[in-house]
Amino acid sequence: MSKSACAASSPTPSGNESNKRWDHLDMDSAWTALDVVTQTMLQKAIVDPKTVDLEKLSNAIVDQSLKDLSFCKDAGRMCYAVVQAEAQKAASSVFRRNLLTRLQQEFTAREETRNRSVQEWVCLVTFICSIFDYIKVNNAPLVALVDPVYDCLYRLAQPDALMIEEEVDCLVVQLHRVGEQLEQTNSQRMNQLFYLLRDGFLLQEDLSSMTRLLLLEILEFRASGWTLTDTAHKYYYSEVAD
Amino acid sequence: MSAHQKYKYENDYKPDENRNKGASRWSHCRKRGADGSLRKSHSVEEPGKCSQSSRRPESFTTPESEGPVSRVKNWGDEVEAEEMRSNVRRDMHRYRRRILEADFPQRERKISSGSSDSRDSRDSKESPAKGDIETDETTLIRRQKQINYGKNTLAYDRYIKEVPKHVRQPGVHPKTPNKFKKYSRRSWDQQIKLWRVKLHAWDPPAEEGSDLQQIEEIDLGEIMDFELDVECSSNTESHCPTSSGGSLSLAEDSFTGTPKKMMKIEDAEMS
């Protein structure tokens, strides 16, 4: 029902694209994490951005992302769908702007957030990286987010953070997702990050074996050009690490 | 050659002019504020939004600020600037390709709309092909912003819906200035002004905001000479069409005070 409404109401050739996107959204695992109100707003925003309070929607998505780690990973894709819809159908970028403003606020307060709740901090990093991954400008990554993402990863690579499994997990997961892109935009900072990782791996005595495993894997991953050789993959992934 | 030296314009030569959601005299013609959000009424400026200050050149400092070094950038602004830059670059590639195609026509040269239109009076189609196009990014971005102000109007929306490109006639129908052609600063600004004035013919009839009209009329009266003041005040029910994003030099430009009725007569005379 909504699909045909979408096709009928959008005169632009992107009507089909938004159909696909809408389908896609439905199957998104992040979708189920949202409450019904937000889901409705999101659907409407894709179909007709002008009818939705985009500022409210972006806040709802950011709020949810700070609570729910599984949501953050795919939230970027959802956000991108709205950004595209708004650009094509309303020729504006209110949603993106609000999203970025909110993100910047959260980013600025990240140390307090980390002190209050490591979970929330980890969600924040995951969300920022998800946005960086999905939202592009003319197919190029958002330059404005490059340094902030690096700042977050540097923080995660600090000795105190390496002691906390959720943070190490976050660090390596994000590097897998956006490491290559990040390096392309600024290789110097990536080099510096890896100095920290090597140091942590070698010098920090009280790291758990899991942490050391994760660090070793990411070191090899990058060394192989952001991929794993077959044998390395077998080593790390064919056995269940206890 | 170019009048760059004469003009002291910066990219944001009117840093004090409120281009955001604040009420300007032509707010009701604009469908959204500079931040992109749809304009409902005279809403308050968003908290935390510093796009005004961030439009100033980096070297701009006030005594109270921390100085040019540690100016915090707003991600929203940065991304929009990135986007504008990459859009301009993309436009340039497209334009260059179009120029090359025009040089080697496959079939009869069709009158294409947009920047590569060879009907433009001034330049022959040769000169762009020889690389004589505007390439300075700062200039292109500034011009694009001016174009965006014009396109970001209800008038423009109504115009493009009403008059499809193949129906448009030169002279009668407004045509977006081609940002890639070499023009002096003065010439370009004048083209933009004239374009925007022409677009006002498609302004929506003003339904509301008559209170605001009263206030605006008074302002208008102060700046303009008596004649125009009389014209405008006799049209309190309709708005006084003026360009919203451009300069406030109304006194110089007699066009900007032309009421809608007069515009239609003008158009009729031209055909």
Side-chain angles (χ1 to χ4, degrees):
Chain A
M1 147 190 94
S2 304
K3 269 186 257 180
S4 56
C6 170
S9 66
S10 85
T12 63
S14 64
N16 287 330
E17 273 176 31
S18 57
N19 275 342
K20 267 188 251 160
R21 241 180 274 123
W22 190 79
D23 274 349
H24 202 46
L25 268 188
D26 237 12
M27 297 187 292
D28 230 316
S29 58
W31 175 259
T32 50
L34 290 171
D35 62 85
V36 181
V37 173
T38 312
Q39 282 179 346
T40 317
M41 262 204 286
L42 192 50
Q43 283 178 24
K44 276 176 72 186
I46 305 263
V47 169
D48 191 358
K50 297 180 199 179
T51 60
V52 174
D53 183 345
L54 294 170
E55 188 178 335
K56 202 165 156 216
L57 178 60
S58 66
N59 281 329
I61 291 180
V62 174
D63 289 338
Q64 183 64 31
S65 72
L66 294 177
K67 292 187 275 188
D68 184 343
L69 190 60
S70 58
F71 176 78
C72 314
K73 294 174 194 158
D74 292 317
R77 180 167 38 205
M78 235 180 235
C79 289
Y80 189 52
V82 179
V83 169
Q84 286 287 77
E86 196 192 340
Q88 284 161 10
K89 296 182 186 171
S92 61
S93 57
V94 169
F95 180 80
R96 184 181 67 190
R97 175 174 267 278
N98 279 310
L99 185 66
L100 290 169
T101 304
R102 204 38 226 287
L103 265 185
Q104 186 170 15
Q105 286 166 7
E106 297 292 338
F107 172 75
T108 308
R110 63 195 182 280
E111 199 56 39
E112 292 106 82
T113 301
R114 181 175 183 275
N115 291 334
R116 184 177 62 240
S117 155
V118 171
Q119 262 299 314
E120 226 182 287
W121 155 241
V122 162
C123 283
L124 175 62
V125 179
T126 308
F127 187 57
I128 293 183
C129 291
S130 182
I131 296 295
F132 178 75
D133 195 13
Y134 284 108
I135 297 190
K136 305 281 193 236
V137 156
N138 284 325
N139 299 320
L142 295 179
V143 174
L145 291 187
V146 171
D147 276 331
V149 169
Y150 270 122
D151 290 343
C152 290
L153 298 180
Y154 278 35
R155 184 61 186 88
L156 291 172
Q158 297 304 306
D160 61 344
L162 290 179
M163 296 300 294
I164 300 177
E165 278 207 12
E166 289 123 309
E167 291 189 79
V168 182
D169 201 71
C170 180
L171 173 62
V172 300
V173 167
Q174 299 321 311
L175 277 173
H176 276 106
R177 284 186 75 178
V178 298
E180 194 170 7
Q181 287 180 65
L182 269 182
E183 190 174 46
Q184 283 164 4
T185 56
N186 187 334
S187 59
Q188 204 181 15
R189 287 202 78 181
M190 187 55 80
N191 292 337
Q192 280 182 321
L193 177 61
F194 271 74
Y195 291 150
L196 287 175
L197 297 183
R198 287 189 197 97
D199 280 351
F201 179 79
L202 287 168
L203 307 174
Q204 209 164 327
E205 289 172 355
D206 40 4
L207 291 184
S208 72
S209 58
M210 180 50 126
T211 300
R212 276 181 275 136
L213 178 72
L214 293 175
L215 288 177
L216 188 62
E217 196 270 356
I218 197 70
L219 288 166
E220 276 200 67
F221 186 74
R222 189 210 178 195
S224 311
W226 302 99
T227 182
L228 275 186
T229 63
D230 282 345
T231 47
H233 194 272
K234 267 201 202 110
Y235 178 86
Y236 290 106
Y237 294 103
S238 61
E239 291 172 279
V240 175
D242 273 310
Chain B
M1 216 172 70
S2 98
H4 282 304
Q5 301 83 2
K6 290 184 190 165
Y7 275 70
K8 290 282 179 234
Y9 287 97
E10 291 295 325
N11 281 350
D12 41 348
Y13 62 103
K14 295 268 181 198
D16 298 314
E17 185 184 328
N18 186 354
R19 288 189 186 135
N20 293 343
K21 289 193 219 177
S24 71
R25 79 179 70 236
W26 308 285
S27 301
H28 66 281
C29 291
R30 234 181 305 160
K31 69 185 186 197
R32 57 174 62 92
D35 62 354
S37 54
L38 284 170
R39 185 184 293 276
K40 293 152 210 167
S41 59
H42 327 305
S43 30
V44 182
E45 209 177 44
E46 288 167 47
K49 196 164 165 322
C50 56
S51 68
Q52 278 307 298
S53 54
S54 67
R55 283 209 189 120
R56 295 193 180 120
E58 282 300 310
S59 55
F60 185 103
T61 53
T62 57
E64 319 86 58
S65 76
E66 306 119 60
V69 179
S70 52
R71 191 165 282 269
V72 176
K73 287 184 184 173
N74 175 301
W75 292 0
D77 286 342
E78 276 188 70
V79 168
E80 270 168 26
E82 263 177 66
E83 192 172 45
M84 182 153 301
R85 255 179 275 126
S86 65
N87 281 344
V88 159
R89 277 184 223 132
R90 178 203 61 199
D91 285 350
M92 194 173 350
H93 291 137
R94 284 184 187 161
Y95 182 63
R96 282 207 161 109
R97 279 201 299 273
R98 257 203 292 212
I99 290 299
L100 288 173
E101 279 166 28
D103 260 2
F104 305 101
Q106 258 95 9
R107 43 193 148 181
E108 179 184 294
R109 192 175 11 102
K110 56 181 175 174
I111 305 215
S112 64
S113 56
S115 27
S116 67
D117 197 342
S118 54
R119 283 185 288 112
D120 279 330
S121 48
R122 240 165 296 236
D123 313 57
S124 69
K125 74 165 162 68
E126 256 82 61
S127 50
K130 283 180 185 157
D132 198 11
I133 67 173
E134 183 58 67
T135 53
D136 176 49
E137 215 169 74
T138 317
T139 306
L140 289 172
I141 289 172
R142 180 184 5 99
R143 290 182 177 182
Q144 187 63 60
K145 277 188 192 160
Q146 289 171 293
I147 291 171
N148 290 346
Y149 285 133
K151 292 191 172 180
N152 179 23
T153 55
L154 292 168
Y156 185 79
D157 264 6
R158 296 175 85 231
Y159 169 54
I160 58 176
K161 280 179 191 145
E162 194 180 299
V163 188
K165 280 183 184 169
H166 60 268
V167 169
R168 290 182 200 162
Q169 298 156 44
V172 174
H173 293 123
K175 185 164 135 63
T176 308
N178 180 352
K179 65 178 177 277
F180 291 114
K181 291 226 164 93
K182 287 277 196 189
Y183 297 118
S184 68
R185 178 65 186 263
R186 179 195 274 263
S187 165
W188 171 264
D189 285 350
Q190 184 67 3
Q191 286 181 60
I192 287 284
K193 221 184 269 188
L194 294 173
W195 172 63
R196 301 218 45 199
V197 163
K198 277 186 163 180
L199 281 174
H200 278 303
W202 280 267
D203 274 337
E207 306 123 19
E208 43 147 273
S210 55
D211 286 338
L212 184 62
Q213 277 305 285
Q214 301 296 338
I215 300 161
E216 290 179 353
E217 299 296 1
I218 293 163
D219 279 349
L220 205 59
E222 277 165 15
I223 302 165
M224 297 168 72
D225 57 306
F226 184 71
E227 250 180 72
L228 286 160
D229 192 7
V230 170
E231 277 176 343
C232 275
S233 59
S234 69
N235 284 307
T236 42
E237 291 321 302
S238 72
H239 48 275
C240 278
T242 28
S243 64
S244 46
S247 69
L248 289 170
S249 55
L250 297 165
E252 305 166 32
D253 194 343
S254 59
F255 274 113
T256 58
T258 313
K260 202 164 149 187
K261 298 193 287 201
M262 303 275 294
M263 285 294 293
K264 293 280 195 231
I265 293 166
E266 224 176 58
D267 284 347
E269 279 174 355
M270 283 161 101
S271 59

